[in-house]
Amino acid sequence: MDPSEYRKQVTEELQRQTESQPGYHEFLDKSNSLSQRQEALAAGTKSLTEAELDDTINIIRDQEEEPELRASAIRSVGRDIGNRDETINLLLELLKDKTEPREVRIAALQVLLMLAFISPLFMSKRPEFLAALRSVVEDPDTTVRQAAIEILALEKDEYVQRRLNEGLDDPSKALVSPEKAVQMLGQDVHAELYPRLREMIQNPPSPAAREEAVRLLAGDPNSKELLVNLVRDKDEDLKVRTLSAAALQSLDPVEFTDQAKQIVLDDTEDEDLRLTGLTGLTHFGDQPSLIPDLEFMKGLERLRNESTSDQLKEAIDRYLNRTK
Amino acid sequence: MTMLLNQMLDKDTSEDRIAELVDAVKASPDQRDTLVELLPEQHPIYLGRGTNQTIRLRGYILAAFEQVGLPERALPYVLDELENGREAYLVAAAAKAIRGLQNPSEAVVPFLFKAINNIRYMDDALTFEQYKPDWPRTEHTSALQEIFQSFNWLGHHAQSAVPDLERLYHKGNGFSDTIQREIKNAIDAIRATEPAGTRTFISLSLLQPPPVGQKKTDVVPGLAFEDQETNHLTSVEFFRQKPSIVAFFYTRCTNPNKCSLTITKLGRLQHMIREEGLNGQLKTSAITYDPEYDLPARLKAYGLNRGVVFSEDDRFFRTLDGLKELQDYFGLGVNFNGSIVNQHRIELFVLDSEGRIAKTFARLQWDAREVLDSAKALLTPGGQ
């Protein structure tokens, strides 16, 4: 087909599609049902005119309108308002306003997060955005509160780190559960966290917090000995031992290699832990784990002959193949 | 007040106590040297604190210089934050401190522009009204606001900045209305003030660290090193027979203007050494502040990813012991929370063929040509 004819056909088809869509005016028309208005909003494919954008912003502002419609409107015009100072301010106000419905506030937050990627102006509004997030860390709405705290934690925000630490010291001031607080503080390797994590291994506020603490100790060379002790302790919870082994592997591959080899060859050890150790030595090991070790290999041959576990035998074969 | 000033400050002094001292000095500006003493990164007040703690302490101290006046000795720390800082609180504090200079100087203009570039996508809402402020707050400032207010304060001394400020003010440059207003105010203030009869300068000597003096005759202490290939040797074995260039860094550094850039520039410096046919005559190396975490594989990957070429004479090291002795010998501007670095400055040294410090480049960005010329000078007879 002639390219110009093809272009003409495509243009006509697009025109037909646009004409058959419910018009933007149907979204603005308050006499239509919610579903009709949302459908009209969703069907819009072209960029809005300035007047249409202003009408939509009026709907977003209008507390008499259905929250779902306002939330949909926020999402639909998100890209178009990223270069307007006053509309970013509007979204910030909606996020902060505790009297606004959750749907509206969450939609505002989602669009603000999107603008962080696409709007150069938004980057200049970053201080206001961070201030808005800090203003809702005690919000009665759990969804808004948690979302704000998580974003601030990812930003390594001084204020939220301070509040999370306060909550760990005094549970009556906690913004989130202890395990969540530890996880969020763990976003920042430079936070004042590791002594607290080591203490938490001994006196955990919850089992989940203890597991989270072990995971994060992978970044703390001062915790090497503690991790070795946890890995070796057969009375310790299996998940904690496994997490400790993984943390040790990141922290000190040589020490991990030593500990993992002992576990793999120990017939009194849990099979899952032996498998984890062997997999670590095979796939994630630093060079030391793959240096041929005659004694270890002899032990593996014995284990392959004696073990009834097919999984363990396969893991042994994989390891031996890697060391060839 | 006197009791506060006489108090020995160390790692056990609470943050609130240190903030009280800063507030007390604000009320007695003649005591401002007390604050200067707290600025070196290795000061014990920073030991054992998280990075955010050190940032808020340091920022609170720096910001106080706006009120008590900025002594010359504190200027390198302020310019360092403007040139290299990526933390909004510290950059804002440094911008405020500039306004404590006795005489406004156009020499700070390039530093303020560098700070704009560093912080414009990382700015934050902040306040110096209170130590460890609570939120929400009705009033707050930001690093960009403080930077443009410093341009405003410079007045006609910032004449040279007007064309660039006008470019920033141009619509569509991505600044919010608040920042646009600050830029406009700065331009208006610069234009409104009459040029003075004399121009004030900042002595370049102030931008360099004090000479290492007594260390110069000492040779580098004998410490056990491991290099990026897991070879073990002593510092004395490496730093002898040829002049050496040694930089300090750590792989977990989050400031791209510091460790990452230092190592990238070290790679470029190596290239210049090869281009000038000096390979085999000079050694280059980098030593990590974080030896327990920066295992050989991490050191190697960090260098290779930044264009470093390793050889017998070009290596990265971690200390197997004696990090403290190394800190003392080089006077390293670094501090720790456990084994994690909580703050550090940029630092590079040129050593002679006996392992003595011949030249120190610290705090501000070093120039590869200047470093190479310093090392080359050691190759000529009498250069040591």
Side-chain angles (χ1 to χ4, degrees):
Chain A
M1 186 190 291
D2 175 25
S4 62
E5 177 61 21
Y6 177 73
R7 260 198 302 274
K8 190 178 159 204
Q9 283 183 18
V10 169
T11 309
E12 285 170 359
E13 177 61 23
L14 285 172
Q15 182 69 25
R16 274 195 299 279
Q17 280 180 14
T18 307
E19 282 165 1
S20 64
Q21 280 171 6
Y24 203 73
H25 62 276
E26 289 179 54
F27 157 66
L28 300 174
D29 186 350
K30 291 188 180 189
S31 67
N32 284 331
S33 69
L34 173 63
S35 61
Q36 281 175 318
R37 296 177 73 188
Q38 283 194 302
E39 203 180 314
L41 184 66
T45 51
K46 60 185 176 60
S47 292
L48 300 181
T49 63
E50 284 292 306
E52 286 171 333
L53 199 53
D54 287 342
D55 288 337
T56 309
I57 288 168
N58 286 337
I59 289 177
I60 292 170
R61 283 184 202 278
D62 188 351
Q63 293 189 317
E64 301 293 313
E65 289 280 11
E66 290 289 335
E68 287 164 86
L69 188 74
R70 294 172 67 203
S72 300
I74 291 170
R75 291 192 187 95
S76 77
V77 296
R79 286 174 186 279
D80 300 316
I81 60 178
N83 57 354
R84 287 180 167 202
D85 208 283
E86 67 278 9
T87 46
I88 295 177
N89 287 343
L90 169 64
L91 296 179
L92 293 170
E93 289 308 316
L94 291 172
L95 168 63
K96 288 191 286 186
D97 189 346
K98 295 177 179 60
T99 66
E100 286 288 355
R102 171 190 291 177
E103 299 95 309
V104 172
R105 299 176 73 196
I106 294 292
L109 179 57
Q110 286 169 339
V111 170
L112 287 166
L113 286 173
M114 178 188 73
L115 293 181
F117 285 96
I118 63 169
S119 162
L121 175 63
F122 179 83
M123 295 315 288
S124 179
K125 303 285 290 179
R126 209 176 107 94
E128 287 90 334
F129 178 53
L130 296 174
L133 292 174
R134 286 180 200 133
S135 74
V136 296
V137 298
E138 288 185 274
D139 201 88
D141 188 302
T142 315
T143 312
V144 173
R145 184 175 71 236
Q146 287 236 6
I149 295 170
E150 278 180 25
I151 297 163
L152 288 169
L154 279 170
E155 292 286 340
K156 300 172 184 173
D157 183 72
E158 183 271 335
Y159 175 66
V160 97
Q161 282 188 5
R162 190 161 23 109
R163 296 298 307 274
L164 291 169
N165 273 314
E166 275 173 16
L168 288 170
D169 288 335
D170 178 355
S172 71
K173 293 182 180 171
L175 301 173
V176 292
S177 66
E179 52 273 19
K180 200 75 189 162
V182 169
Q183 194 182 57
M184 289 181 187
L185 285 167
Q187 303 287 346
D188 182 6
V189 70
H190 293 89
E192 55 228 81
L193 186 63
Y194 292 122
R196 181 188 291 284
L197 294 180
R198 287 194 290 270
E199 162 63 22
M200 208 173 264
I201 301 296
Q202 310 305 326
N203 301 303
S206 71
R210 188 164 187 259
E211 287 170 10
E212 207 53 56
V214 173
R215 271 194 194 96
L216 294 174
L217 286 177
D220 179 29
N222 286 356
S223 298
K224 193 168 84 180
E225 199 180 322
L226 172 64
L227 291 170
V228 169
N229 290 339
L230 289 170
V231 171
R232 294 169 71 104
D233 184 357
K234 290 181 181 174
D235 295 327
E236 184 54 79
D237 176 74
L238 183 61
K239 191 166 179 191
V240 168
R241 293 184 73 196
T242 309
L243 290 171
S244 301
L248 189 60
Q249 188 176 41
S250 162
L251 203 53
D252 188 342
V254 177
E255 184 65 47
F256 166 79
T257 299
D258 190 31
Q259 295 301 327
K261 282 179 177 177
Q262 290 179 48
I263 288 169
V264 169
L265 295 183
D266 185 345
D267 293 335
T268 66
E269 276 290 6
D270 181 274
E271 187 178 314
D272 282 347
L273 192 64
R274 297 172 86 180
L275 267 172
T276 304
L278 200 45
T279 306
L281 290 171
T282 309
H283 296 295
F284 308 106
D286 214 342
Q287 273 183 334
S289 72
L290 296 172
I291 294 169
D293 172 348
L294 283 182
E295 203 173 323
F296 183 57
M297 287 182 171
K298 241 192 284 177
L300 286 180
E301 294 288 356
R302 174 194 63 77
L303 190 57
R304 186 167 53 183
N305 293 333
E306 292 173 4
S307 175
T308 55
S309 163
D310 288 340
Q311 272 187 303
L312 200 52
K313 286 179 181 178
E314 283 169 20
I316 291 168
D317 287 339
R318 276 195 296 272
Y319 177 80
L320 292 174
N321 278 335
R322 284 291 309 274
T323 53
K324 272 178 189 168
Chain B
M1 169 69 188
T2 311
M3 205 175 78
L4 266 174
L5 291 175
N6 290 338
Q7 192 183 27
M8 189 69 129
L9 302 177
D10 60 20
K11 67 184 175 63
D12 297 321
T13 312
S14 75
E15 277 185 77
D16 292 334
R17 193 82 179 142
I18 298 166
E20 271 177 44
L21 170 82
V22 176
D23 291 337
V25 173
K26 281 190 214 168
S28 303
D30 57 318
Q31 299 294 325
R32 66 184 187 181
D33 284 350
T34 312
L35 299 185
V36 183
E37 301 304 324
L38 302 179
L39 290 177
E41 289 80 354
Q42 60 269 46
H43 193 286
I45 60 162
Y46 303 111
L47 184 62
R49 302 189 202 264
T51 294
N52 268 333
Q53 278 178 296
T54 63
I55 289 169
R56 63 187 177 231
L57 275 175
R58 205 171 171 75
Y60 201 64
I61 295 166
L62 284 174
F65 289 117
E66 180 189 17
Q67 206 168 320
V68 301
L70 181 64
E72 285 192 343
R73 279 199 305 139
L75 188 61
Y77 298 92
V78 170
L79 297 181
D80 177 3
E81 285 305 338
L82 294 175
E83 186 181 63
N84 303 309
R86 305 275 290 188
E87 292 291 342
Y89 190 70
L90 284 171
V91 173
K96 283 172 82 70
I98 284 293
R99 306 201 287 269
L101 278 170
Q102 192 180 356
N103 298 306
S105 168
E106 66 177 335
V108 301
V109 166
F111 290 91
L112 291 172
F113 276 119
K114 189 77 203 297
I116 293 171
N117 284 333
N118 283 335
I119 214 67
R120 72 175 290 183
Y121 300 114
M122 309 193 66
D123 206 357
D124 199 349
L126 41 96
T127 179
F128 296 94
E129 296 295 312
Q130 183 191 352
Y131 189 70
K132 291 202 275 191
D134 295 317
W135 294 85
R137 305 186 69 82
T138 48
E139 296 290 326
H140 56 76
T141 181
S142 73
L144 281 179
Q145 281 180 267
E146 295 299 333
I147 292 166
F148 289 117
Q149 282 169 25
S150 290
F151 275 114
N152 189 322
W153 175 83
L154 283 171
H156 70 85
H157 294 279
Q159 278 290 351
S160 62
V162 170
D164 286 329
L165 288 174
E166 282 179 330
R167 267 191 289 279
L168 291 176
Y169 181 64
H170 192 268
K171 283 284 174 200
N173 62 13
F175 284 118
S176 67
D177 289 351
T178 311
I179 300 302
Q180 291 277 12
R181 270 194 303 278
E182 295 286 0
I183 301 173
K184 178 77 168 51
N185 290 343
I187 294 170
D188 290 347
I190 294 166
R191 286 192 170 140
T193 51
E194 290 294 317
T198 55
R199 303 171 85 185
T200 49
F201 295 94
I202 293 172
S203 164
L204 284 178
S205 64
L206 284 170
L207 307 185
Q208 292 302 325
V212 283
Q214 75 282 4
K215 298 287 184 195
K216 181 124 184 5
T217 53
D218 298 343
V219 294
V220 69
L223 303 170
F225 277 178
E226 182 175 37
D227 75 6
Q228 76 289 340
E229 301 292 352
T230 73
N231 298 311
H232 287 205
L233 68 165
T234 69
S235 48
V236 174
E237 283 170 322
F238 185 78
F239 294 119
R240 67 176 186 189
Q241 292 175 339
K242 298 171 188 173
S244 316
I245 294 160
V246 53
F248 284 83
F249 79 110
Y250 75 116
T251 66
R252 289 195 277 186
C253 178
T254 54
N255 183 338
N257 289 338
K258 290 193 174 176
C259 295
S260 187
L261 186 55
T262 292
I263 298 304
T264 305
K265 285 165 69 179
L266 187 67
R268 281 187 219 147
L269 184 59
Q270 288 182 331
H271 185 72
M272 288 165 69
I273 290 172
R274 287 193 298 274
E275 274 194 332
E276 297 200 15
L278 295 170
N279 40 327
Q281 296 180 61
L282 296 173
K283 295 183 178 186
T284 67
S285 66
I287 304 175
T288 176
Y289 295 122
D290 191 3
E292 291 180 80
Y293 183 82
D294 283 341
L295 302 173
R298 289 190 176 113
L299 294 176
K300 188 173 178 179
Y302 197 83
L304 290 176
N305 288 336
R306 285 159 183 79
V308 167
V309 177
F310 292 110
S311 73
E312 199 64 14
D313 282 347
D314 304 285
R315 306 198 207 183
F316 281 12
F317 297 112
R318 69 186 192 114
T319 50
L320 296 174
D321 60 39
L323 180 62
K324 182 77 179 67
E325 285 90 327
L326 200 69
Q327 272 179 265
D328 291 344
Y329 177 72
F330 285 103
L332 298 180
V334 62
N335 222 315
F336 299 90
N337 178 24
S339 63
I340 310 283
V341 174
N342 59 15
Q343 62 173 347
H344 73 93
R345 62 178 183 176
I346 293 169
E347 37 203 358
L348 176 140
F349 302 86
V350 178
L351 308 186
D352 67 18
S353 54
E354 300 296 321
R356 292 179 298 230
I357 298 172
K359 177 98 178 167
T360 301
F361 296 84
R363 204 166 292 289
L364 299 180
Q365 292 292 339
W366 44 268
D367 176 68
R369 166 52 51 197
E370 206 184 328
V371 172
L372 183 53
D373 287 346
S374 300
K376 274 164 68 177
L378 298 171
L379 294 171
T380 56
Q384 292 188 12

